[in-house]
Amino acid sequence: LLAMILLFLLVPVAGAAGETWLYEDDKLSNGTITLNNVTANGTNLTIENSSADLGGSDITTLDLSGDIIGLNGKSYTITAIGDNAFAYCTSFTSITLPDSVTTIGENAFTSCKSLTSITLPAGVKTIKANAFMSCTNLTSIDLPESLESIGSSAFYDCESLTSITLPASLTSIVATAFNGCSGLTAITVAEGNKNYSSDENGVLFNADKTTLIRCPEGKTNPSYTVPDTVTAIGEGAFIDCKGLTDIILPDNLQSIGDVAFQGCTGLTSLTILSKTPPTLGTDALINTSTSLQIYVPDNAVEAYKEKWSSYADQISATPDIPSSPSNPPSYTIVQRPAVEYWAESPKAETPAGEAPGTPAPETDKTNPSMGGMF
């Protein structure tokens, strides 16, 4: 279909960087799509800025996987979806891209609000900033094993996305990539990735789990204990995790990044095990619960109040945990040395007919009521 579109609608115009193919405007008929500003560099095409033609159309399916032939008879290969290429194409429900695509540009599919699925080809290496921003009905996307980088806010506000698996090939991801994904419950890292890891709670870390990068906003368990290996909470790591009420930070924590807990409106308890106050980033606790209490070791309360002076009124010593059926008190069993117990034999009365001074019968020097030796 696309080959026919290109064959009949392309108008070649000379360009300094190679041939530039401009599509005729407002030629939407019989289910065809008129794209705008397709740049040909040799035999590689980059599709850009098509929203002016597609934004108001009723086309629901975009399939770019077919052969592409220009008016000059050349066969072309699409290697990149350019910046803003399909932004605000609100009628698209599914998109299929050719295997030749390696780059998804900035805002390429921004606000394709009807989009529920997309097939990313095996050769995609780069997803740039805001590429799928506000695709609010996108429920799932499979990231190919070729993918190397994901830009900032790439999936921002994809509120229907529930889980994502980062491939072993990924070398770079901006922490804000999944901001606004309120339904996202888990970020999983594929086995073999040398740069990132995840835990059983679907939280994203660097490879050796010394930096917590991102907790998914839709995490359902209200309590979370950060692993002991973590020394840094990254910038924006817990942004808008509204379902979290209780977080415990490890005793070797050294830093908390800017806006780390911003928007955690349900967070009422933050327990920090470190006796040395970690460095606190700008607005790290902004827009959290008004009833938030910060619990620290008893001998570090004053140090925390001094270093975290903006939150001094919320800082107190970690309370003792009362015993309960689920948290029984502990006991220490001390083994004591064995002790002999015996009953002193009573003085026997002299029976009638016996001479005084006759010895009484031998008595067992064990107290039977005490069970003997113990």
Side-chain angles (χ1 to χ4, degrees), residues 187 189 193-213 224-233 250 252-253:
I187 303 171
V189 178
N193 191 298
K194 297 180 180 179
N195 302 284
Y196 301 102
S197 62
S198 56
D199 66 6
E200 65 277 8
N201 295 283
V203 177
L204 179 64
F205 302 84
N206 63 345
D208 57 4
K209 287 187 171 65
T210 56
T211 298
L212 192 155
I213 298 173
Y224 182 62
T225 299
V226 175
D228 292 339
T229 54
V230 171
T231 59
I233 303 296
N252 57 347
L253 187 67

Side-chain angles (χ1 to χ4, degrees), residues 79-149:
T79 55
I81 305 299
D83 297 350
N84 307 298
F86 298 102
Y88 301 98
C89 293
T90 56
S91 62
F92 284 166
T93 59
S94 66
I95 296 172
T96 302
L97 303 177
D99 290 340
S100 54
V101 170
T102 60
T103 301
I104 309 295
E106 293 186 12
N107 299 293
F109 297 99
T110 287
S111 291
C112 290
K113 294 185 180 294
S114 298
L115 185 64
T116 58
S117 65
I118 182 169
T119 301
L120 290 184
V124 170
K125 294 183 178 181
T126 303
I127 298 176
K128 292 189 176 181
N130 310 323
F132 295 95
M133 183 173 69
S134 296
C135 292
T136 52
N137 283 300
L138 185 65
T139 58
S140 64
I141 183 168
D142 291 329
L143 302 179
E145 288 298 329
S146 57
L147 187 63
E148 296 176 357
S149 66

